[in-house]
Amino acid sequence: MEPVPDPHQLAPCRAGVGGRALAAALAALLVFLSHPAEASRQHALLVGVSSYPSLPQGLQLHGPANDVALMRAVLLQRGFAPEDIRTLADGVAGAGEPTRAAIMGELAALAKKAARGDFVFLFFAGHGSQQPAREIGPQNPEPDGLDEIFLPRDIGKWSGAAGSVQNAIVDDELGAAIAAIRSRGAFVWAVFDTCHAGTITRGIADDGVRYRDVPAAALGIPEAEIARAAKRAAALYPRTRGEPRGAPMSGVLAAQAGTEAGGFVAFFAAQSWERAPEERLPAGHPDRRPHGVFTFALAQTLAMNPSMTYRQAAEQILQRYRGRNQAQPTPLFEGPSLDAPVFGTQAGPRVLQWPIEKDERTGALRIPAGALHQLGEGALFALMRAPADADAQALGYLAATRIELTRSLLAPAAHGQTPPIAASAVPEGAYARLVDPGLALALRVALPPPVAKPGPQEAKAKALLDQLAKETLSGLAIAWVPAREGADLRLLLRGGKLWLLSPSAELVAEGPHRSLSIDLAKND
């Protein structure tokens, strides 16, 4: 666009045609300045289904409602306008019901209002499952013969006449809805903290750990229908023995968009043959709540990294899984735009700082960052008058006195030769810049649950562990916790071995991803 001239520097002009033309130009300029071109917008649809009236108590979830609230907080911190975040979740104040009609209606509405250059974030947390695919072929490549489905709150049972589970949302339908949004030129990031199939051995019974999949039998799908679908798929897609049959759901989601469509990235909590857990997180925190492990790792990554690409975000999430000894599930990240910047942000210097909120009544100081941002009690911050000020311009220092999940309470503190500043002297619009996160880097280890009939080696190992838990080990920072407490490492005595399990307590006895263990008979 041509630069707009400064009206104060226009040469004077005689009245008449030239004057009228100038007046018209000035009027047009004023209209332009008062109605600037509309900038691209950010949109979000957050879906969380925790309770399912048609499913038994053992298949109810606790985490999706918390996941939706957590992701909403993250999006607001990343600049999303509250009115542009649509929420469908049971158990969340002010949210709509996550029924099939509501979910599909919101997706259709996004396809109508999204414009070229807009960004659309889609988030789904809840149960997934599989059902026999009606058709298998190039338009619906399902090597296992099954369609992945997301279960809304009003899910029903299998209908043989319809060939589907009542009210299920099939991956093909999600693909068509996403393609409609992308066809408008909008970029779509879809995140699924759900799973569809898989088997797993639980090493430790813990009701705080649940999995986000519903077996086909619980939906009334006959085994004969599953076998028939698998047989049809086997004829079309022969495979090597032992190769997993499942196909990435993202292949279906990305395939329907045209060449002029906006970008697309899909994040999945698990491969189509794995299960995604939810746990009480963060482990050991007094305010811990049930969350999807994948959602929590994603939220931590977004909170701690202002500028990165989707591929870098994926690598950070996998790093967090490795750090918690989580061999399965294996999150999946796909799409043609993995090297685009997250949320369309441009790379910049990483400065961890947050605006300070002052309570007008009590004078209490808070920042919108907490345990999610890996802050600990006593975390130290430099008080900055403006976010761009240099470190040397700090007005004083603040320390965290209470850490919640997404916010912290601060108080003035001394640091080095600098005395504490008065709370009343903290200026409006000030920022707290992180100096020391105050993390306690102790390894949380959960002792093994009691064994009904322990053998000699197991009894000896249990006695030794109980003794170690009472001692201070030189050079090791270990926090011993009871068997069913959240921990970084969970111990299990079974089959003459001491197993070292992930926080989700999966026990993988064989294969390349088998759990670490110590053979008690070979190790005195």
Side-chain angles (χ1 to χ4, degrees):
M1 185 176 70
E2 292 293 326
V4 178
D6 184 348
H8 298 290
Q9 298 193 14
L10 292 174
C13 168
R14 292 181 292 108
V17 177
R20 289 194 297 271
L22 175 59
L26 287 173
L29 174 61
L30 292 175
V31 170
F32 173 80
L33 293 176
S34 61
H35 296 85
E38 186 174 351
S40 59
R41 293 178 62 182
Q42 295 175 308
H43 309 272
L45 172 61
L46 309 180
V47 178
V49 191
S50 300
S51 59
Y52 292 84
S54 66
L55 297 179
Q57 182 60 34
L59 291 176
Q60 304 303 312
L61 297 173
H62 304 303
N66 297 328
D67 290 346
V68 162
L70 180 61
M71 290 309 303
R72 177 179 171 82
V74 170
L75 294 180
L76 289 174
Q77 289 188 3
R78 296 302 293 256
F80 278 68
E83 63 271 18
D84 288 333
I85 304 175
R86 302 287 296 173
T87 304
L88 300 175
D90 57 297
V92 175
E97 284 287 293
T99 62
R100 174 188 165 85
I103 295 170
M104 299 307 293
E106 290 290 350
L107 290 171
L110 281 171
K112 289 183 179 179
K113 65 184 177 183
R116 182 164 298 279
D118 282 2
F119 180 89
V120 178
F121 180 73
L122 304 177
F123 176 79
F124 294 83
H127 272 314
S129 190
Q130 293 177 311
Q131 68 178 19
R134 297 180 187 176
E135 297 181 2
I136 304 174
Q139 298 302 317
N140 188 28
E142 297 289 0
D144 56 0
L146 303 174
D147 277 329
E148 279 70 46
I149 56 177
F150 180 78
L151 308 189
R153 178 171 164 79
D154 57 342
I155 193 69
K157 297 292 185 181
W158 169 261
S159 168
S164 65
V165 174
Q166 182 185 13
N167 290 333
I169 300 179
V170 185
D171 53 4
D172 304 292
E173 294 179 289
L174 287 172
I178 289 173
I181 299 171
R182 294 179 60 203
S183 67
R184 304 271 296 182
F187 189 111
V188 175
W189 183 15
V191 176
F192 295 87
D193 194 345
T194 183
C195 49
H196 302 94
T199 58
I200 203 161
T201 300
R202 296 296 305 281
I204 300 171
D206 184 353
D207 190 55
V209 179
R210 297 200 170 200
Y211 289 88
R212 297 182 171 183
D213 75 303
V214 173
L219 297 172
I221 303 177
E223 289 186 11
E225 292 285 353
I226 299 290
R228 189 177 299 113
K231 186 176 180 180
R232 282 190 296 142
L236 291 172
Y237 301 102
R239 62 169 179 163
T240 304
R241 185 176 180 180
E243 177 188 345
R245 174 69 76 183
M249 187 179 179
S250 58
V252 178
L253 300 186
Q256 303 186 39
T259 56
E260 299 298 318
F264 176 67
V265 172
F267 279 26
F268 298 89
Q271 307 282 340
S272 60
W273 57 88
E274 295 177 326
R275 305 174 75 188
E278 63 175 46
E279 301 172 17
R280 291 186 291 264
L281 295 168
H285 194 277
D287 297 330
R288 62 188 181 276
R289 297 179 179 180
H291 282 285
V293 170
F294 182 75
T295 295
F296 200 83
L298 172 62
Q300 280 189 318
T301 298
L302 294 177
M304 295 298 293
N305 297 275
S307 301
M308 59 186 165
T309 66
Y310 295 98
R311 192 182 302 278
Q312 291 170 330
E315 292 167 350
Q316 286 284 330
I317 292 172
L318 293 176
Q319 187 80 12
R320 295 183 186 280
Y321 271 58
R322 284 192 290 269
R324 53 179 267 133
N325 190 31
Q326 188 88 35
Q328 290 184 334
T330 311
L332 177 67
F333 313 94
E334 290 198 357
S337 309
L338 283 173
D339 292 311
V342 169
F343 295 129
T345 57
Q346 298 301 316
R350 184 187 182 209
V351 179
L352 294 178
Q353 59 184 8
W354 297 272
I356 298 174
E357 305 160 357
K358 184 184 292 188
D359 189 300
E360 294 182 358
R361 185 176 60 86
T362 65
L365 306 174
R366 291 187 176 85
I367 58 171
L372 183 70
H373 303 76
Q374 297 184 300
L375 301 180
E377 299 289 343
L380 185 68
F381 303 85
L383 174 62
M384 312 305 300
R385 186 182 300 277
D389 285 353
D391 292 348
Q393 295 176 273
L395 304 177
Y397 294 89
L398 305 168
T401 58
R402 174 174 170 76
I403 301 290
E404 299 175 3
L405 182 60
T406 57
R407 66 177 188 169
S408 299
L409 185 66
L410 307 184
H415 178 59
Q417 301 300 316
T418 305
I421 187 174
S424 59
V426 175
E428 293 294 328
Y431 274 69
R433 182 174 299 169
L434 184 63
V435 175
D436 181 351
L439 282 179
L441 298 178
L443 179 71
R444 289 176 59 87
V445 181
L447 290 165
V451 180
K453 295 181 180 180
Q457 291 95 352
E458 292 171 335
K460 184 177 179 180
K462 181 68 165 64
L464 176 59
L465 289 169
D466 288 341
Q467 182 62 34
L468 286 175
K470 299 174 184 178
E471 298 179 359
T472 299
L473 303 179
S474 176
L476 291 176
I478 296 182
W480 298 92
V481 299
R484 287 176 173 79
E485 280 289 316
D488 305 303
L489 185 67
R490 304 181 75 165
L491 303 180
L492 173 68
L493 290 167
R494 179 178 294 179
K497 293 182 178 181
L498 174 63
W499 295 91
L500 286 67
L501 305 182
S502 73
S504 301
E506 298 97 341
L507 175 58
V508 184
E510 303 292 341
H513 299 295
R514 63 182 176 272
S515 304
L516 298 175
S517 65
I518 298 173
D519 191 326
L520 299 178
K522 298 179 180 179
N523 296 273
D524 187 7

